[in-house]
């Protein structure tokens, strides 16, 4: 969940075991398979220790338990999927590309497409959302955090939220605010566009888990971070609603798509700022060179005039002032930033 903190991961695991021990065990097993794959292929130890390969495979495990009944074919698919997601993640890391949860998304799509063939395995009905009256005011944000890991229990969602808070209080706050904003966007589609979005699904966090990821991934202390969060929220929520209306298993692809858009936008803005700064610096350097050249020329001219005066003192008495005036109108050329010339008439 984009949080490289051991205690945060522990809270996630506790939340998984609280609601669904089988899902938690499968997710943990997939993480081990992914980590072993990275070790065997001798990927960077720093990436392995930060869990960059394991979190995608753990999500694959959660998704398979959520959508399908476990059997031999599903277990084989989990093993292959964990290995494939690790290799895809390494490809993104080596090319300095933002992968986010795309290895999980792509691998899960392929596995569901294969394993949903009749006769291989049976699809499971969606799990029920569990609420508690004492926690009803916190239900929607808690469900949104929990749905990232396919959890429908409010307490499980709160454990995930606490885990995020331990890693980064700012990220958890952005995540909570993002769920509220995404709920507002979803309500707009209910009231204005006549969409089939239901209040119950919004309350269950099904329209908020992509928003949570957007808030966490874009969180920061600068005001501009909030703008990027809002942009990614609008894109991810709108795209998610469009996919749901077409009965497409979206997973966290709306989040990834919105993040790729924001990364591209940041790259364009950064390049523009760099070019502007380089132009300003270059102009300043040129102006400094012109000033130095101008000062150098004036110094040389001053020395030359003094030398002529001293020579004139030792000349014959017949020397007139006309000899001095031979030095009049000395032309000196100084380059400028506009590639023109300044003609200095020094008398």
């Amino acid at each position: 969940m984009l949080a490289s903190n051991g205690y945060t991961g522990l809270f996630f695991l506790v939340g998984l075991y609280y609601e669904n021990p089988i899902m938690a065990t499968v997710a943990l097993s997939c993480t081990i398979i992914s980590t072993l794959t990275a070790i065997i292929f001798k990927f960077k130890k720093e990436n392995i220790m930060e869990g960059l390969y394991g979190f995608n495979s753990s999500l694959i495990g959660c998704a398979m338990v959520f959508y399908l009944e476990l059997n031999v074919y599903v277990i084989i698919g989990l093993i292959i999927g964990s290995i494939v997601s690790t290799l895809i993640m390494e490809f993104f890391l080596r090319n300095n590309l933002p992968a986010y949860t795309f290895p999980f998304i792509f691998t899960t799509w392929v596995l569901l497409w294969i394993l949903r063939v009749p006769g291989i395995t049976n699809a499971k009905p969606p799990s029920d959302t569990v609420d508690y009256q004492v926690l009803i005011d916190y239900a929607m944000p808690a469900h949104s955090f929990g749905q990232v890991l396919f959890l429908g229990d409010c307490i499980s969602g709160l454990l995930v939220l606490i885990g995020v808070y331990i890693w980064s209080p700012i990220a958890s706050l952005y995540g909570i605010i993002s769920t509220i904003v995404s709920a507002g966007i979803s309500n707009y589609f209910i009231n204005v566009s006549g969409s089939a979005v239901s209040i119950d699904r919004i309350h269950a966090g099904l329209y908020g888990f992509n928003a949570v990821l957007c808030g966490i991934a874009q969180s920061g202390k600068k005001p501009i971070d909030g703008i990027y969060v809002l942009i990614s929220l609008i894109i991810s929520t709108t795209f998610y609603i469009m996919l749901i209306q077409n009965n497409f298993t979206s997973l966290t692809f709306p989040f990834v798509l919105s993040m790729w858009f924001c990364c591209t936008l940041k790259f364009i803005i950064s390049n523009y700022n760099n070019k502007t700064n380089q132009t300003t610096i270059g102009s300043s350097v040129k102006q400094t060179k012109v000033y130095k050249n101008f000062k150098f020329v004036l110094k040389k001219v001053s020395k030359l005039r003094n030398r002529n005066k001293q020579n004139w003192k030792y000349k014959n008495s017949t020397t007139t002032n006309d000899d001095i005036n031979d030095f009049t109108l000395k032309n000196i050329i100084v380059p400028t930033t506009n590639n023109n010339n300044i003609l200095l008439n020094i008398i």
Side-chain angles (χ1 to χ4, degrees):
M1 200 164 167
L2 313 176
S4 56
N5 183 288
Y7 295 107
T8 298
L10 181 61
F11 269 87
F12 292 173
L13 192 60
V14 171
L16 282 167
Y17 269 108
Y18 176 82
E19 179 171 340
N20 194 329
I22 295 176
M23 180 183 287
T25 302
V26 171
L28 187 60
S29 301
C30 289
T31 302
I32 294 172
I33 294 170
S34 179
T35 303
L36 289 176
T37 302
I39 294 172
I40 292 171
F41 282 94
K42 297 181 179 179
F43 295 157
K44 286 185 178 180
K45 186 177 179 181
E46 295 81 5
N47 295 338
I48 297 174
M49 295 303 295
E50 288 182 7
L52 295 181
Y53 304 107
F55 80 92
N56 277 292
S57 59
S58 66
L59 287 173
I60 292 171
C62 292
M64 292 297 102
V65 174
F66 181 81
Y67 287 109
L68 305 171
E69 293 182 358
L70 286 179
N71 59 21
V72 176
Y73 299 109
V74 174
I75 293 173
I76 294 174
L78 286 170
I79 296 172
I80 296 174
S82 299
I83 296 171
V84 170
S85 70
T86 304
L87 299 178
I88 295 174
M89 189 65 182
E90 178 63 13
F91 170 80
F92 276 86
L93 291 173
R94 288 191 180 185
N95 291 278
N96 295 318
L97 298 172
Y100 299 107
T101 56
F102 181 74
F104 148 69
I105 296 166
F106 176 78
T107 307
T108 302
W109 277 345
V110 174
L111 288 176
L112 289 177
W113 179 68
I114 295 172
L115 296 174
R116 276 176 170 171
V117 174
I120 294 181
T121 187
N122 297 321
K124 288 174 60 177
S127 58
D128 295 329
T129 301
V130 181
D131 284 321
Y132 304 88
Q133 190 61 38
V134 69
L135 299 174
I136 198 66
D137 293 333
Y138 315 100
M140 195 267 290
H143 285 313
S144 297
F145 274 82
Q147 288 293 347
V148 176
L149 300 177
F150 301 92
L151 301 175
D153 192 293
C154 186
I155 291 180
S156 298
L158 282 176
L159 289 171
V160 174
L161 195 160
I162 293 170
V164 175
Y165 180 84
I166 292 172
W167 168 65
S168 173
I170 293 177
S172 63
L173 181 61
Y174 264 107
I176 294 171
I177 295 172
S178 298
T179 63
I180 298 171
V181 175
S182 68
I185 296 172
S186 301
N187 271 315
Y188 167 82
F189 281 92
I190 293 176
N191 299 325
V192 177
S193 65
S195 173
V197 179
S198 67
I199 296 294
D200 291 338
R201 291 176 66 87
I202 294 175
H203 175 78
L206 295 176
Y207 293 90
F209 66 91
N210 279 289
V212 166
L213 292 173
C214 290
I216 293 173
Q218 301 273 28
S219 62
K221 298 180 180 180
K222 297 179 180 179
I224 190 65
D225 296 325
I227 296 175
Y228 284 124
V229 169
L230 181 61
I231 293 172
S232 60
L233 276 176
I234 295 172
I235 295 172
S236 64
T237 305
T238 305
F239 189 63
Y240 178 79
I241 292 172
M242 184 186 71
L243 293 177
I244 291 298
Q245 287 177 338
N246 291 277
N247 297 319
F248 190 83
T249 304
S250 66
L251 303 175
T252 56
F253 185 64
F255 152 69
V256 174
L257 183 68
S258 67
M259 289 303 301
W260 283 346
F261 176 83
C262 288
C263 285
T264 304
L265 183 61
K266 289 179 180 179
F267 177 78
I268 294 171
I269 294 174
S270 177
N271 276 356
Y272 175 78
N273 290 336
N274 288 338
K275 288 180 180 179
T276 304
N277 291 336
Q278 288 174 1
T279 303
T280 305
I281 293 172
S283 177
S284 300
V285 170
K286 287 181 179 180
Q287 291 174 4
T288 303
K289 287 182 178 179
V290 169
Y291 173 75
K292 288 181 177 179
N293 289 337
F294 183 75
K295 197 172 181 181
F296 174 78
V297 169
L298 289 179
K299 189 175 181 181
K300 287 292 184 182
V301 169
S302 178
K303 286 183 178 180
L304 189 59
R305 294 187 67 177
N306 291 334
R307 188 182 304 167
N308 275 274
K309 286 182 179 181
Q310 291 175 1
N311 291 338
W312 176 73
K313 289 180 181 180
Y314 294 100
K315 282 186 179 182
N316 296 329
S317 57
T318 55
T319 306
T320 64
N321 288 336
D322 292 336
D323 295 324
I324 301 175
N325 293 333
D326 291 338
F327 185 67
T328 59
L329 295 177
K330 298 292 182 181
N331 298 328
I332 300 168
I333 306 301
V334 180
T336 66
T337 53
N338 296 325
N339 296 322
N340 298 324
N341 293 318
I342 297 175
L343 186 61
L344 300 177
N345 297 322
I346 303 175
I347 302 175

